Amino acid sequence: KAGVTQTPRYLIKTRGQQVTLSCSPISGHRSVSWYQQTPGQGLQFLFEYFSETQRNKGNFPGRFSGRQFSNSRSEMNVSTLELGDSALYLCASSLTGSDTQYFGPGTRLTVL
Amino acid sequence: GENVEQHPSTLSVQEGDSAVIKCTYSDSASNYFPWYKQELGKRPQLIIDIRSNVGEKKDQRIAVTLNKTAKHFSLHITETQPEDSAVYFCAASKAGTYKYIFGTGTRLKVLA
């Protein structure tokens, strides 16, 4: 089976812009979670989607949003980018959301 | 709120020695505890996990122990090898929340 894929792998934006990141889960997996990874903070949970519904979200401002499509692919959007949004954004998929998560390679976002 | 503390943040061991990383969780209802290994520039990969109905689990040189009373769980790596050098993350999840809380990571260096 193909693993979790994320596009793009690298992105450079300027403050105030918005960005959309994409995640394709392992075939058959219906749960997709998103994380922000920074050197000092580790992996911070953003949100989780299952069958196009957000079931939980972390403590991030409303500028961070996401959605999931009927084929389980997911996107996350960050509006009005700030310098502090520079990070590696990881998505992870699992069958149900309560089982093993498999991570994608991440999207490295740099905000200038 | 939910929290997972991970110690130490860095750990250096001689090749062949054992390494132990400890995590403490705050939510006593947590019932699933995975460990991930992240090599430089790579995605996190699951190396072992344990559920709350089990006290210990072993897979070759890797073992995880869980103490529900103390709310902590530990990763044990025996006979360490240079390829074990990586950042290790623990996580905790509670049934029905679809949310994983990660520790801040331990950078393990195995010295040849």
Side-chain angles (χ1 to χ4, degrees):
Chain A
K1 271 186 182 177
V4 180
T5 58
Q6 291 186 244
T7 57
R9 293 293 311 279
Y10 302 92
L11 210 47
I12 299 176
K13 292 286 187 179
T14 56
R15 280 179 298 173
Q17 287 188 308
Q18 74 165 13
V19 66
T20 300
L21 313 181
S22 180
C23 173
S24 292
I26 292 171
S27 177
H29 285 193
R30 296 169 65 188
S31 168
V32 175
S33 297
W34 287 90
Y35 296 89
Q36 181 192 67
Q37 184 175 26
T38 55
Q41 298 293 315
L43 284 83
Q44 301 283 310
F45 174 78
L46 281 155
F47 26 67
E48 189 265 359
Y49 286 88
F50 183 89
S51 292
E52 303 178 67
T53 300
Q54 185 184 91
R55 297 192 296 188
N56 206 338
K57 62 179 294 189
N59 298 322
F60 279 82
R63 300 185 296 107
F64 292 81
S65 62
R67 59 178 176 169
Q68 187 181 36
F69 302 93
S70 58
N71 62 356
S72 295
R73 189 178 69 85
S74 178
E75 289 181 347
M76 68 163 280
N77 183 277
V78 188
S79 63
T80 319
L81 284 167
E82 301 177 359
L83 295 178
D85 297 333
S86 294
L88 180 68
Y89 290 88
L90 292 160
C91 75
S93 77
S94 70
L95 285 169
T96 66
S98 298
D99 53 331
T100 302
Q101 291 193 332
Y102 296 88
F103 282 87
T107 294
R108 172 77 59 188
L109 172 65
T110 301
V111 182
L112 302 176
Chain B
E2 309 139 317
N3 188 43
V4 174
E5 291 188 2
Q6 183 171 347
H7 297 282
S9 57
T10 61
L11 178 61
S12 293
V13 298
Q14 290 291 328
E15 182 178 358
D17 286 351
S18 296
V20 180
I21 303 170
K22 182 175 175 179
C23 289
T24 304
Y25 58 98
S26 61
D27 191 337
S28 58
S30 298
N31 67 336
Y32 177 61
F33 308 92
W35 284 90
Y36 286 86
K37 174 184 180 182
Q38 187 175 29
E39 297 177 72
L40 191 61
K42 301 279 185 69
R43 70 188 76 189
Q45 301 251 357
L46 180 78
I47 54 171
I48 197 166
D49 57 6
I50 193 168
R51 294 199 178 269
S52 58
N53 59 345
V54 176
E56 184 174 358
K57 185 176 178 180
K58 190 173 180 181
D59 182 4
Q60 299 183 337
R61 298 186 296 111
I62 293 173
V64 56
T65 57
L66 172 64
N67 183 327
K68 287 188 292 184
T69 303
K71 293 191 288 185
H72 67 69
F73 56 112
S74 299
L75 177 70
H76 305 254
I77 305 175
T78 58
E79 300 171 22
T80 53
Q81 301 166 2
E83 51 266 37
D84 294 329
S85 295
V87 179
Y88 291 80
F89 291 96
C90 63
S93 178
K94 181 168 69 175
T97 64
Y98 316 111
K99 179 179 180 179
Y100 291 70
I101 306 299
F102 280 80
T104 49
T106 296
R107 182 173 299 279
L108 173 65
K109 293 182 183 178
V110 180
L111 307 170

